[in-house]
Amino acid sequence: MSDLRAPANAPIVVIGAGVIGASIAHHLARAGREVVVLDSGTPGTGVTAASFAWVGIAKSPADAYAGSLRERARPEFDRVLTEITAPIGLRPFGALTWEESEERTRSFVSDHQAAGHRMKLITAYEARMREPSLRDVPDVVAYAPDDVGVDPVAFTRALLRSAQEHGAEVRTGTTVLRIVHDDGRVRGVATDWGVLAAKSVVLAAGTASTGLAASVGVDIDVAGSPCCLLRFSTPRPLVRGILSAPEFEVRQLDDATLLAAEDVPAGFSGDPRELAVATLAAIRRSFVDADDVRLEHAVIADRPMPANGQPLVGPVPTMPGLHLAIAHPGVILSAEIGRQVAAAHTTP
């Protein structure tokens, strides 16, 4: 629509009410910006809901945390927690991990320590003291004391609630059809409810961002990387913190719900519950009194993976008024992405 002009009081439109979009709205609204968040569904129920939501360093190699965004992610996450009051299911009990061999576990810890990360080697006895339900533990285990888990849906909704308390508007059930541009810049968005003028548009819609960016001639390479999230019921808390081993990756979401993350084999197109069989068997073998653990839910979701593995965050030089906010892992990176996007909108 070539005659669309954004009035001076037009809002910043954030497309996507997952954890990244919610964090952006939180940061923008607290900075005094007019913000409208659009999502076709309910906040936090897309890929965000399928997140294992491990916030910390013990999941990835040390070099995965290089770069300003990754290095600032955890401090900004902790700072944001001081700004939201709603419960987010925070479980601050650290993470225990081990590799296929003692040598690899030692090397993993050594690399993190060399990078300045808080991680250390502990004995099997110390690991059992932290996780009494574990049966067999290797002689050497990596321990990251600062790693935490959160409820990703609760965290997302807490961020949006904070944004709304600071004046943001959240419109659910609104599908963005395309981005509207004129004279070489973004002017707004066309939705199934009509056209909304915008001062700028922030794309935080995961894999759906590719098609929306293409509507203004911007080519971004983002692929869906499938991952399976499993939810098991537990009659009592089975795990205190986060446990990652060659056979499983598990943590309690709450006292009665155990989460497990599983990779999806290439070409897999079956029922995601099939992927739970080996994991459930490993859980029952690995923990005391785990015979009553039952699978409740299994889902496969496409994580948005930029082609080069690096987050796509920031303004698009070729299309003024368009900002990208596409990254994985979303929960741990969300706070710093929100801060960076808000900083890019410093001009009222």
Side-chain angles (χ1 to χ4, degrees), residues 123-287:
T123 65
Y125 173 79
E126 292 172 306
R128 285 197 186 93
M129 290 295 290
R130 297 186 181 283
E131 295 290 351
S133 294
L134 273 174
R135 292 183 187 275
D136 298 321
V137 186
D139 293 337
V140 173
V141 175
Y143 173 52
D146 300 328
D147 285 18
V148 305
V150 299
D151 180 331
V153 176
F155 181 47
T156 299
R157 294 177 180 175
L159 287 166
L160 287 174
R161 183 179 305 176
S162 169
Q164 289 173 306
E165 289 171 351
H166 288 82
E169 181 183 355
V170 179
R171 300 184 189 179
T172 58
T174 302
T175 300
V176 178
L177 305 175
R178 66 184 184 280
I179 300 170
V180 178
H181 67 112
D182 181 46
D183 292 339
R185 69 162 292 116
V186 164
R187 301 294 182 180
V189 294
T191 77
D192 54 352
W193 290 88
V195 175
L196 175 64
K199 182 175 297 183
S200 67
V201 172
V202 182
L203 264 178
T207 55
S209 300
T210 302
L212 291 170
S215 70
V216 287
V218 174
D219 182 23
I220 57 175
D221 195 352
V222 177
S225 175
C227 183
C228 182
L229 186 76
L230 308 171
R231 290 176 182 247
F232 299 94
S233 61
T234 60
R236 61 178 179 81
L238 201 63
V239 179
R240 285 189 74 245
I242 301 166
L243 289 175
S244 180
E247 288 188 296
F248 55 73
E249 184 174 285
V250 298
R251 73 175 188 87
Q252 297 283 155
L253 177 67
D254 53 48
D255 287 350
T257 307
L258 186 74
L259 295 183
E262 279 294 327
D263 291 329
V264 178
F268 180 81
S269 60
D271 185 336
R273 297 174 71 91
E274 296 174 30
L275 302 176
V277 175
T279 303
L280 181 56
I283 290 170
R284 289 176 174 169
R285 282 196 308 272
S286 302
F287 296 95

